[in-house]
Amino acid sequence: MRRSILAALALAGFAGAAWAAETGPDISTLSPNVLKYIPPGEIPWHVTPGLDTAFLYGDPSKPGFYVLMYRWKPGNASRPHYHSQDRYIMVLSGTWWVGAGTHWDLEHETAPVKPGSFVTHYARQVHYDGARANDEPAVEIVWGMGPVVTVGCEGPNGEKGPGPCEDARKADGR
């Protein structure tokens, strides 16, 4: 129930912000004791070669509510992985491509998620995501309750032994 309420509040906030921008005073004139405002040009992006991240509220590695943004650069995607907690995502711009299972194929086995779409990544369910090579960057806002741990299905730090990755491999026929 709490998660549904948080999702509804986030969606209402986006709609309200768009309406207020057209009809109200300049937000910078409102008291900082009332609200915190970060204009688009001042979002605190941590820039990397493939995925930029902006931590807007909280810390997903610590207990409590968090909000962050991802900006997937064209041709970059995660590898199959899962999260220890549910995560809620809304696409803000670009096309975000999402696949399920361990058979990674960004160009042929992912579904497009367009701006304004809302997605829930359920805990312990294997998926991968990103932006295709010939697309524009995909920007999304992500929120949930921490601490959240991301577990990869591949490589030296990948899940060992039984678990969601092994289950997904079996489901994929691998």
Side-chain angles (χ1 to χ4, degrees):
M1 177 68 166
R2 181 176 179 193
R3 291 178 181 162
S4 297
I5 292 169
L6 291 173
L9 289 173
L11 293 173
F14 285 119
W19 178 80
E22 296 177 9
T23 62
D26 183 298
I27 196 165
S28 65
T29 64
L30 301 178
S31 171
N33 295 326
V34 174
L35 57 89
K36 177 182 177 183
Y37 168 67
I38 304 172
E42 295 178 23
I43 290 176
W45 289 107
H46 297 276
V47 177
T48 66
L51 174 70
D52 300 337
T53 305
F55 295 89
L56 301 178
Y57 182 84
D59 182 337
S61 69
K62 297 180 180 169
F65 183 69
Y66 67 87
V67 179
L68 54 94
M69 290 174 66
Y70 287 141
R71 180 171 49 205
W72 291 97
K73 295 176 184 174
N76 289 278
S78 64
R79 301 299 292 188
H81 66 280
Y82 64 89
H83 307 287
S84 61
Q85 303 288 336
D86 291 351
R87 290 170 56 125
Y88 307 93
I89 302 108
M90 177 169 275
V91 179
L92 301 179
S93 65
T95 301
W96 179 48
W97 294 88
V98 179
T102 58
H103 185 249
W104 188 91
D105 185 344
L106 184 64
E107 296 299 321
H108 301 102
E109 294 196 23
T110 53
V113 184
K114 298 291 186 177
S117 299
F118 174 77
V119 173
T120 302
H121 271 164
Y122 293 112
R124 300 180 55 82
Q125 298 300 310
V126 177
H127 62 277
Y128 56 94
D129 48 346
R132 287 188 175 174
N134 294 322
D135 283 352
E136 69 276 26
V139 178
E140 60 196 42
I141 188 164
V142 179
W143 66 93
M145 294 297 289
V148 63
V149 176
T150 300
V151 179
C153 294
E154 304 169 349
N157 296 325
E159 177 188 84
K160 306 289 188 260
C165 294
E166 183 177 320
D167 294 345
R169 280 187 205 93
K170 288 177 183 173
D172 291 344
R174 298 173 78 205

